[in-house]
Amino acid sequence: MSKSTFSTVYITVIVITFLMTIFPIFEIANRAEPFILGFPFNFFWVVLWIIVTFALVVFLYFKDPDRHEREED
Amino acid sequence: MPHWQIALVIMIGYLIVALFIGILAGRGKSGSLTEYVVAGRKLGLVVTSFLMGGAVFSAFSFLGAPGWAFERGAPALYIIVYTAFAILPWYLIGPKIGKIGRKYDLYTLSGFLKGRFRNKSIPILVGIFSLLAFIQYLATQMKGMAYIFNIMTDGRVPFWLGALIAYGIVVIYVATGGLRAAAWSDVFQGLLMVIISWVVGIAVVMQLHGGTTEMFTAINNAQPGFLEIGHEGSTMSAVGYTTTILVSLIGLLMWPHLFSKSYSSRPVTIKRTVLVYPLFSLFLIPLLLAGYAAIGVVNSGEVLPDEVLPYLITNVLEMPGWLYGLVGAGALAAAMSSADAITHSASLEFTNGVIHNVKQDLREQTTLLIMRSAVVIIGGLAYCITIFGGQGLIALLLGAYGSIVQFAPGVYSALYWRRATAPAIITGLLAGTFTNYYFQLVASSTPLDIHAGILGLIVNIVCVVVISFATKPQAAQHANAYVGIK
C-alpha cells in the first residue's frame, strides 16, 4: 500500500466510525432501553464504536508503509 | 484522627512526591532552549502518551464529567466521544508537523504558522489568543484544585489558599524543569488518576445502587428522556450535542500544548500514542457513572454540579479517610497534569509568538529567562481570575475552546493547501473569533442551536477560501516548504 492510499484509507475509516457516534446516524441508537451490560443502549453504542475504532486503527497501524520510518536527526 | 486530617496529609504527601519527581526529571539535563521547550525532541512512548492524556484528564474530567452526568444526563457522553476521536488526525498530521519543526527549528504553533505564511501578524495574534485561552483554562484547573482542598478538609483550607499551594508547585517545577519535568510528573499523575477513578466510580455505584442496571433503570423510570439526547425530557438538542462534539474534537489538537508535542516526539511515538488514545477515553466511564449515581441521592439544588463527586464522597458515602485523601490526590493530579502542560506552553507561545516578533535578535539565555518569568506571571493572572471570576468550570473551558478551534483553518491550510495566503488566514482568524465571542457572550441563543465555535469556524473557513483566491498566491517555494514535505 502506498503512502497516499494509506492516508485515504485511514481518513475514510475514522470518518465512518466517527459518524456512527454523532447525529444524524446516532439517532438509530439514541435510546435508553434495552440496557446492555448494565449500560443504556446509546451509552453502550458509543463505547462499542470506540472499541471498534481502536481495533481498526491498530490493524491499520500494522499496514502502515511508514511504520518503521527512520529518524533523520 | 478525623477524616479531613488524613485527607490533608495524603494530599500534601502527593504534592511533595509530584514536586520531587518534577524537579528530579529536569535535573542533570542541559540548560539549553531546546531541552526546555521540546525536551531535546526525544520523548518516548509512555511519556508522550501521558503528556497527551494528562491534558485530557484534567480538572474538567474529574469534576466536570460527573457534574455533566449528574445535571444533564446522556449529553455527558460527548466527553467520551470527543476524547476518543479528537486525537486520530494526529496520526497523519503529527509526523508531518514534526518533520517541518525539525527542519526549520520550530517549537510553537505561532512559529509554525509564521514559517509558512511569512507574516508577523499571524504569530502575534495566535500568541495573544492562546495566552487568553490558556489563562482561562488554567483558571479552570486552579478552581478545581481549590474545590478539592476546600471540600476534602471540610472547609478548613480556604479556597484561595488551596489554589495557591497547588499552583505554586506547578510554577516551581515548570519554571525550573521545562517539558521533561511536566512529562514525568504527568506519568505519575496519570496513573494515579486512572486507578482512583475506577476504584471510586465502581465503589460509588455499588454502595448507592448495587449495580449499573439498577441505577440506570431507576433514573430512566424517574426521568424519561434524561438518558437520551434531543428527545422530550432530554437536556440538549441533537444539533447542540453534535456541534459541541465537533468543536471540542477539532479544537483539541489546536491547543498549542498538544500541537507542539508533534515537535518533541518521533513519528513512531506519535503513531503509537494515537493507537492507545481511544482507550484513554474509556477510562472516563467510571467518572460518568459516579455522576449518574448521585441522581436521586443528592438534590440538585444542594450542590453545584462540579462539586458533586467530592460531595458524594465526603457527605453521602461511608468511606475510610485514606480513600478520601486518595480521591483528593487524584483530582489534584488531574488538575495539575493539565496545569503544568498549559503553563509551559502558554509561556512558549507568548514568548515565541509575541515577544520574538516585536523584538528580534534575543539571545538564547534571554529567551529562556523571559519564558520562565512568563510562567510566573501567567500563573498569577490565572490565580486572580480563579479567586475573583465566578463562572462554572465547563462554561470556561468551552468558551476557551471556541477561540482555539479558530486556528484550525490556518494550520490545515499551512499543511495541505498551497493556494492559502496570509491575508486570508488573518481575516479568517479574526472573523471566526469575533463570531464565536458574539454568539457566546452577546447573543442569547444561536441559530439552530449550533455551537458558537462552529459558527465561528464556518465564517472563518469562508473568509480563508474566498480571500485566498482574491489575493496574490504565495511564492511557490514558501508554500512547498510545508505542503511538499512528505
Side-chain angles (χ1 to χ4, degrees):
Chain A
M1 185 156 33
S2 80
K3 192 166 175 171
S4 62
T5 323
F6 176 82
S7 302
T8 316
V9 171
Y10 181 86
I11 293 169
T12 315
V13 165
I14 63 173
V15 166
I16 291 174
T17 49
F18 175 59
L19 288 177
M20 297 297 161
T21 62
I22 57 170
F23 289 97
I25 296 180
F26 181 65
E27 187 57 45
I28 58 177
N30 184 20
R31 286 173 278 133
E33 284 177 317
F35 293 119
I36 297 184
L37 302 173
F39 289 93
F41 191 73
N42 50 10
F43 199 139
F44 168 78
W45 175 267
V46 164
V47 173
L48 176 73
W49 280 104
I50 290 173
I51 293 170
V52 168
T53 309
F54 169 71
L56 288 172
V57 172
V58 169
F59 174 76
L60 283 174
Y61 173 73
F62 286 103
K63 298 283 172 201
D64 185 349
D66 269 351
R67 186 154 57 97
H68 300 296
E69 195 165 35
R70 293 265 301 279
E71 255 320 87
E72 51 265 62
D73 59 4
Chain B
M1 198 153 55
H3 281 178
W4 69 269
Q5 275 182 5
I6 303 174
L8 190 62
V9 168
I10 292 180
M11 287 191 290
I12 290 176
Y14 157 75
L15 288 174
I16 292 170
V17 174
L19 182 63
F20 186 69
I21 292 177
I23 290 175
L24 210 65
R27 219 189 46 174
K29 299 289 173 187
S30 70
S32 73
L33 186 61
T34 327
E35 169 60 29
Y36 184 77
V37 297
V38 287
R41 301 194 191 274
K42 283 192 175 63
L43 290 176
L45 175 64
V46 175
V47 175
T48 300
S49 32
F50 276 101
L51 258 177
M52 298 297 278
V56 170
F57 285 115
S58 58
F60 168 69
S61 44
F62 218 88
L63 301 172
W68 263 63
F70 172 64
E71 193 192 17
R72 317 199 53 167
L77 285 175
Y78 106 83
I79 299 163
I80 300 186
V81 173
Y82 99 79
T83 308
F85 286 95
I87 193 87
L88 297 173
W90 206 42
Y91 192 100
L92 299 178
I93 67 168
K96 188 166 180 177
I97 296 166
K99 276 177 204 164
I100 296 170
R102 269 184 290 277
K103 197 163 170 191
Y104 303 105
D105 200 24
L106 306 172
Y107 53 90
T108 57
L109 176 65
S110 34
F112 175 81
L113 291 176
K114 185 189 175 193
R116 160 74 203 262
F117 294 110
R118 308 277 153 171
N119 178 297
K120 276 193 202 171
S121 313
I122 297 179
I124 293 178
L125 283 176
V126 168
I128 293 171
F129 288 163
S130 348
L131 185 69
L132 293 177
F134 273 136
I135 289 176
Q136 273 192 316
Y137 193 172
L138 206 48
T140 314
Q141 306 303 328
M142 291 174 80
K143 217 175 194 167
M145 291 188 255
Y147 276 154
I148 289 297
F149 263 120
N150 190 271
I151 295 178
M152 292 292 169
T153 59
D154 291 342
R156 284 175 182 84
V157 173
F159 197 72
W160 63 269
L161 183 63
L164 196 62
I165 298 171
Y167 198 69
I169 293 191
V170 174
V171 168
I172 291 168
Y173 72 70
V174 174
T176 52
L179 183 61
R180 203 176 291 273
W184 276 104
S185 31
D186 273 5
V187 173
F188 169 67
Q189 290 165 358
L191 284 174
L192 187 64
M193 197 186 141
V194 167
I195 295 167
I196 290 170
S197 59
W198 281 85
V199 171
V200 170
I202 292 167
V204 166
V205 173
M206 290 305 164
Q207 243 187 62
L208 292 176
H209 303 274
T212 55
T213 311
E214 292 85 340
M215 174 175 88
F216 283 120
T217 311
I219 296 172
N220 198 33
N221 291 339
Q223 304 177 60
F226 189 73
L227 294 176
E228 293 165 13
I229 296 157
H231 298 164
E232 206 183 323
S234 167
T235 59
M236 202 173 195
S237 73
V239 174
Y241 175 75
T242 299
T243 51
T244 301
I245 290 178
L246 282 174
V247 82
S248 311
L249 182 113
I250 303 169
L252 185 83
L253 284 175
M254 295 303 127
W255 278 94
H257 63 294
L258 301 181
F259 179 90
S260 59
K261 297 302 164 290
S262 314
Y263 302 135
S264 52
S265 317
R266 291 170 306 164
V268 67
T269 309
I270 291 177
K271 290 178 176 176
R272 289 186 184 157
T273 302
V274 173
L275 293 189
V276 297
Y277 217 77
L279 296 182
F280 277 33
S281 69
L282 300 182
F283 291 152
L284 295 170
I285 292 175
L287 293 171
L288 294 188
L289 294 180
Y292 285 121
I295 298 170
V297 177
V298 179
N299 289 325
S300 49
E302 209 171 313
V303 56
L304 290 171
D306 291 339
E307 296 176 12
V308 74
L309 180 66
Y311 182 87
L312 265 185
I313 290 159
T314 50
N315 293 323
V316 179
L317 295 174
E318 301 285 317
M319 285 201 181
W322 59 268
L323 197 58
Y324 251 58
L326 271 188
V327 172
L332 286 180
M336 283 178 57
S337 62
S338 305
D340 55 15
I342 297 164
T343 318
H344 179 255
S345 187
S347 76
L348 261 52
E349 291 296 335
F350 182 71
T351 310
N352 193 227
V354 181
I355 307 276
H356 277 169
N357 285 299
V358 174
K359 185 165 168 37
Q360 266 132 2
D361 304 328
L362 289 177
R363 284 184 307 120
E364 187 176 314
Q365 287 311 316
T366 320
T367 301
L368 261 174
L369 183 68
I370 295 175
M371 284 175 181
R372 291 190 161 132
S373 329
V375 169
V376 179
I377 295 167
I378 292 165
L381 289 172
Y383 181 74
C384 292
I385 291 181
T386 309
I387 304 301
F388 303 112
Q391 289 179 51
L393 279 169
I394 290 169
L396 267 174
L397 187 56
L398 284 181
Y401 256 136
S403 311
I404 290 292
V405 76
Q406 306 306 330
F407 300 158
V411 168
Y412 283 98
S413 306
L415 285 169
Y416 297 108
W417 197 36
R418 288 188 171 82
R419 190 63 182 80
T421 65
I425 302 297
I426 298 174
T427 320
L429 183 55
L430 287 173
T433 308
F434 178 80
T435 310
N436 172 56
Y437 268 88
Y438 174 78
F439 281 109
Q440 203 146 47
L441 302 177
V442 183
S444 53
S445 70
T446 61
L448 303 170
D449 203 24
I450 296 172
H451 192 282
I454 292 293
L455 290 172
L457 205 54
I458 294 169
V459 172
N460 189 337
I461 292 170
V462 169
C463 287
V464 167
V465 172
V466 170
I467 298 173
S468 284
F469 281 117
T471 46
K472 205 162 79 50
Q474 224 188 348
Q477 89 257 25
H478 293 155
N480 258 332
Y482 274 42
V483 181
I485 283 196
K486 286 282 174 248

